[in-house]
Amino acid sequence: MKQKHLLSLKDYSRADIEDILELARKVKSRPGDYRKALEGKTLAMIFQKPSTRTRVSFEVGMYQLGGHALFLGADAIQLNRGETVPDTARVLSRFVDGIMARVFAHQDILDLARHATVPVINGLSDLLHPCQVLADLFTLFERRGGLEGLKIAYVGDGNNVCHELMFAAVKLGMAMSVASPPGYEPNQLIVKSATRDAQKSNRSGPEVTSDPKEAVKGADVVYTDVWTSMGQEAEAPARAKAFQGFMVDQALMARAEPDAVFMHCLPAHRGEEVAAEVIDGPRSVVLDEAENRLHVQKALMVLMMSPPG
Ligand code: CP
Ligand code: NVA
């Protein structure tokens, strides 16, 4: 793989993404073939925020590849006592073969990558969540046998998951529409950047509306995420008010394509961004998305951390 780091799928070509998905397919179907792929290698995992899926999938993934993962909570290392991100990156690079980090400020991921001499993987920042979206793409690929021409409708907060989905969708020839309440739309710079990427291949960029019904028209995928992301807890009451009418329920799903699937990165709040009948219903693929974090990240780590040749 040409890229040293995974900061965002924005930096990857369609072929790069397809290479990861193809290796993920092999890793998932024949896990035993990769049991020693990262033997003797170590991954440092920095977590400034909580995690279930990201932590467990990376830790289990490294173990299954013959390597080892270290969980480094921000309070357990010197970061929260003022050691700088550049020093943390330089020091960890002397010990480990890769760094995965979940951070508040996206700048921290950029700084880690700038100063580390080993690959850095973004395990979620306030702006982007590439590992999640790789697993989502793989899940869709498994279901549909291809991604080109599919339409994703994202209903809810224009957040890190929404941003990464926009970058990935335009790279892979998928249409995307986003419905968010006023004030909670995706970042304009990211919409513009994804639109420029789309125009390079004569496609239109993501559509942004405030009408969920409009967004899900013709959609093959209806995706949502929490209304209040990690770090925004103080805004939760205002957000709950602003997002009224944005719950993905059966009535909204009925306006999408008849075989449309429901996706959510999890964790979810039933009765807020999604009705229980949808997330626990037959069109929901949320557990496949969660499981596929493991297979996709194993493929990613093999591509990034195994010696060339
Ligand atoms: N989807 C996701 O990243 O989940 P965690 O926050 O549990 O890692
Ligand atoms: N948007 C959510 C995603 C959690 C996986 C958050 O950042 O909290």
Side-chain angles (χ1 to χ4, degrees):
M1 201 159 68
K2 288 187 297 293
Q3 286 74 14
K4 178 170 180 172
H5 306 296
L6 174 58
L7 310 179
S8 169
L9 295 173
K10 158 81 186 154
D11 310 326
Y12 281 46
S13 69
R14 179 177 184 146
D16 297 328
I17 297 171
E18 285 172 350
D19 284 350
I20 300 168
L21 300 183
E22 173 55 19
L23 184 58
R25 191 185 60 73
K26 293 184 183 154
V27 166
K28 184 171 181 176
S29 62
R30 297 178 63 94
D33 290 359
Y34 299 88
R35 221 175 24 226
K36 293 187 174 173
L38 293 184
E39 196 168 28
K41 304 270 180 186
T42 306
L43 177 76
M45 308 191 299
I46 300 173
F47 280 95
Q48 294 181 356
K49 298 175 178 176
S51 166
T52 299
R53 281 143 289 269
T54 305
R55 181 196 172 164
V56 177
S57 55
F58 271 104
E59 191 162 334
V60 170
M62 270 308 273
Y63 174 76
Q64 292 181 353
L65 294 168
H68 180 71
L70 291 121
F71 175 77
L72 306 175
D75 278 328
I77 55 174
Q78 300 284 14
L79 257 186
N80 284 357
R81 288 189 60 252
E83 183 158 27
T84 64
V85 170
D87 277 352
T88 304
R90 292 183 194 111
V91 170
L92 288 177
S93 297
R94 297 290 180 106
F95 296 128
V96 302
D97 303 285
I99 301 171
M100 189 279 296
R102 165 164 289 194
V103 299
F104 283 98
H106 188 66
Q107 188 60 45
D108 281 356
I109 273 286
L110 301 179
D111 290 345
L112 273 173
R114 184 168 309 123
H115 297 282
T117 56
V118 298
V120 171
I121 299 172
N122 179 359
L124 179 147
S125 70
D126 56 355
L127 203 64
L128 296 162
H129 196 2
C131 294
Q132 177 63 49
V133 170
L134 275 176
D136 298 336
L137 295 173
F138 184 71
T139 304
L140 282 177
F141 193 85
E142 277 184 319
R143 294 237 146 203
R144 306 295 293 246
L147 301 171
E148 174 93 35
L150 295 181
K151 177 180 172 181
I152 304 187
Y154 178 96
V155 177
D157 188 25
N159 63 14
N160 43 11
V161 172
C162 173
H163 293 157
E164 195 70 58
L165 279 169
M166 290 196 295
F167 280 145
V170 300
K171 286 271 159 86
L172 291 157
M174 301 163 80
M176 178 148 176
S177 56
V178 178
S180 306
Y184 297 95
E185 297 94 347
N187 181 317
Q188 265 306 312
L189 294 176
I190 292 190
V191 177
K192 281 192 186 139
S193 172
T195 303
R196 278 196 300 273
D197 283 347
Q199 284 165 348
K200 283 181 203 153
S201 41
N202 291 321
R203 297 174 186 278
S204 41
E207 283 172 13
V208 182
T209 165
S210 55
D211 181 358
K213 295 190 189 90
E214 177 65 31
V216 303
K217 219 181 280 172
D220 302 290
V221 181
V222 179
Y223 201 121
T224 191
D225 185 15
V226 291
W227 293 338
T228 300
S229 283
M230 291 180 278
Q232 300 172 331
E233 287 76 8
E235 300 171 26
R239 286 174 169 269
K241 225 163 141 188
F243 282 86
Q244 287 313 305
F246 280 76
M247 185 200 292
V248 177
D249 56 14
Q250 295 277 38
L252 193 64
M253 286 301 293
R255 292 175 176 268
E257 288 294 291
D259 59 350
V261 293
F262 171 76
M263 299 185 95
H264 192 309
C265 58
L266 304 180
H269 295 89
R270 288 167 177 76
E272 292 183 25
E273 75 275 6
V274 59
E277 61 196 9
V278 171
I279 192 167
D280 300 320
R283 298 166 91 175
S284 172
V285 297
V286 298
L287 293 179
D288 290 340
E289 292 173 82
E291 179 192 328
N292 284 333
R293 293 288 303 271
L294 174 70
H295 309 300
V296 164
Q297 290 160 194
K298 283 171 74 178
L300 183 69
M301 290 191 288
V302 168
L303 290 168
M304 287 184 142
M305 291 166 63
S306 58

